[in-house]
Amino acid sequence: MRTTVGIIGAGPAGLLLARLLHRAGIDSVVLESRDRAYVEHRQRAGILEQGTVDVLRAAGAAERLDREGLRHDGIELRFDRTRHRVDFPGLTGGRSVTVYAQTEVCKDLIALQLKEGGPLLFEAEALTVEGAESDSPRVRFRHEGREDVLECDYVVGCDGFWGVARAAVPAAVSRVFERTYPYAWLGILADVAPSHDELVYARHDRGFALLSMRSPSVSRLYLQVPADTDADAWTDDAIWAELEHRFATDDGWRLERGPITQKSVTPMRSFVHEPMRHGRLFLAGDAAHIVPPTGAKGLNLAVGDVVTFARALVHERETGSPDLLDAYSATCLRRVWQAERFSYDMTTMLHPAPDATPFDARLQLARLERLASSRAAETDLAEAYTGFPLG
């Protein structure tokens, strides 16, 4: 099998890249190790930056997003039982974010790919990437019980942290930067209307809490917990009680309870692999970088990567110049490190560490009070939250 771009992974990054290439008249093949049902139902991110929404619209992939997505024009910060709203459009010249789950993005892109695009092979496990330094890299994969080879001009690894793409970059040229946090998020889905119409980020001495949503009738909420927490060790009543305690304010606000349909624990880590390109192998999304979920950057960073690659390849086709492809890693990493910085700042401002001192606690409150009293500080948060420029 031969194609121009071999894409490993049918998450939102791989699927969107295939869509962008199709619209540009460039052929591709997508290899996904899981089956379609798994890809369309794995719960991941739910906040789309303004730039991500714009890209999906331009790609003809936003019909359902525009109909069902929930536009949010701000977030609320809670600390010391007080509430402060950050107004995104007013601080950024009109930008916002949209709540639309990654599962729904994948469903939309899969439907378009199967209807209009090139091959999308489910249960096709990529085994190795070979010849990345040559003009004809290959992806060796297993599909329908037999091994096959996908010959390409370029390979893009959108196969996540545990995928095979990054392993094809020689250790001699790889640099890894990472931080593991001593806490995690206990996340729940609940069949109850959200108790607030925008996301609420709460800093409390007992730990961080986040109120989010998946739809007007489904709430998504999180609690900071120790890193080794077993989700099943928390009863539903204990979860709701702790959420109520951490979200409590002095103005009578109430958290509505409902049936919990899903519990999971999300670890917290920061990770960057440099470079994001080796020869004709390009890394995108979690294959190259991971951020703690506090800043809602993971999916959006992956979109930025594949937009950068697609633009660079189109530029090469139209001009004959490989300059943008050669600059892919440096271009992406500028945005990645800004997102890492923002996600780290949000995480350390809102999560008390297990060994936190009273001094640390007062510093967190001082940072939050600065946001609540300074338009400049608010603007920095709003610009980062709604998204850094793509490419």
Side-chain angles (χ1 to χ4, degrees):
M1 185 182 298
R2 176 159 189 85
T3 190
T4 301
V5 181
I7 301 171
I8 309 175
L15 291 166
L16 177 59
L17 177 56
R19 180 67 180 172
L20 295 174
L21 296 175
H22 171 73
R23 301 271 286 193
I26 299 172
D27 61 298
S28 69
V29 173
V30 183
L31 305 176
E32 168 55 47
S33 62
R34 304 281 192 161
D35 63 25
R36 180 177 179 178
Y38 179 89
V39 175
E40 292 187 338
H41 291 90
R42 55 186 166 192
Q43 291 292 329
R44 293 291 189 273
I47 305 295
L48 306 184
E49 295 174 356
Q50 182 71 64
T52 297
V53 172
D54 293 343
V55 166
L56 290 169
R57 286 174 178 157
E63 179 182 348
R64 197 159 64 92
L65 163 63
D66 285 335
R67 187 171 65 248
E68 300 178 11
L70 305 175
R71 172 177 165 143
H72 281 202
D73 287 337
I75 58 172
E76 184 173 287
L77 301 174
R78 292 193 185 180
F79 55 99
D80 263 0
R81 300 180 67 88
T82 64
R83 305 165 65 178
H84 177 76
R85 182 176 184 269
V86 180
D87 173 16
F88 291 158
L91 295 163
T92 65
R95 298 213 307 268
S96 63
V97 298
T98 299
V99 175
Y100 191 68
Q102 175 175 313
T103 51
E104 306 310 310
V105 174
C106 287
K107 289 175 186 176
D108 296 342
L109 290 170
I110 286 171
L112 285 169
Q113 185 70 10
L114 295 177
K115 179 181 178 182
E116 303 174 8
L120 167 54
L121 305 182
F122 291 104
E123 299 181 86
E125 180 187 7
L127 303 173
T128 59
V129 177
E130 301 171 349
E133 297 175 357
S134 73
D135 290 338
S136 300
R138 301 172 300 281
V139 182
R140 195 171 298 278
F141 67 99
R142 182 182 296 112
H143 185 234
E144 296 180 341
R146 65 178 185 275
E147 285 195 17
D148 204 344
V149 174
L150 177 62
E151 298 180 348
C152 322
D153 294 332
Y154 306 93
V155 175
V156 182
C158 304
D159 52 344
F161 183 79
W162 301 107
V164 302
R166 192 174 69 249
V169 181
V173 302
S174 296
R175 297 187 69 194
V176 169
F177 306 86
E178 60 185 327
R179 176 183 294 271
T180 301
Y181 298 85
Y183 37 74
W185 279 7
L186 171 62
I188 64 167
L189 280 174
D191 285 338
V192 61
S195 299
H196 194 62
D197 56 1
E198 294 177 336
L199 273 69
V200 177
Y201 288 77
R203 186 266 171 206
H204 193 280
D205 286 341
R206 289 168 61 149
F208 168 76
L210 172 63
L211 185 156
S212 184
M213 60 212 66
R214 281 294 176 263
S215 74
S217 61
V218 177
S219 293
R220 183 73 160 150
L221 301 110
Y222 299 93
L223 285 171
Q224 177 187 343
V225 294
D228 60 353
T229 294
D230 176 3
D232 292 332
W234 282 74
T235 66
D236 292 5
D237 284 343
I239 291 171
W240 285 116
E242 190 63 23
L243 287 166
E244 288 171 347
H245 191 86
R246 297 187 193 183
F247 283 125
T249 63
D250 287 332
D251 62 0
W253 181 90
R254 287 188 56 192
L255 178 68
E256 296 298 328
R257 296 189 178 197
I260 294 176
T261 60
Q262 185 184 109
K263 300 178 192 176
S264 61
V265 173
T266 301
M268 308 280 282
R269 68 183 311 184
S270 300
F271 172 89
V272 180
H273 178 278
E274 297 185 5
M276 289 176 58
R277 176 198 178 179
H278 178 66
R280 293 198 170 212
L281 167 64
F282 297 77
L283 304 179
D286 286 1
H289 43 73
I290 292 174
V291 289
T294 322
K297 289 288 162 237
L299 167 60
N300 297 291
L301 274 183
V303 168
D305 295 342
V306 299
V307 167
T308 300
F309 175 80
R311 287 176 178 169
L313 187 55
V314 170
H315 177 77
E316 192 269 342
R317 287 297 177 93
E318 292 178 347
T319 68
S321 170
D323 290 352
L324 295 186
L325 284 170
D326 292 342
Y328 171 81
S329 183
T331 301
C332 290
L333 285 168
R334 282 193 293 271
R335 190 170 189 266
V336 166
W337 277 111
Q338 285 302 316
E340 293 282 356
R341 185 270 308 171
F342 172 68
S343 299
Y344 174 83
D345 287 349
M346 287 283 285
T347 300
T348 56
M349 178 175 66
L350 293 165
H351 293 73
D355 59 351
T357 66
F359 180 84
D360 297 325
R362 293 303 291 268
L363 280 182
Q364 286 184 320
L365 291 173
R367 291 164 71 184
L368 287 160
E369 288 165 358
R370 172 68 176 169
L371 280 168
S373 61
S374 165
R375 184 176 178 86
E378 270 193 308
T379 300
D380 182 62
L381 185 153
E383 288 180 344
Y385 200 102
T386 56
F388 301 106
L390 296 178

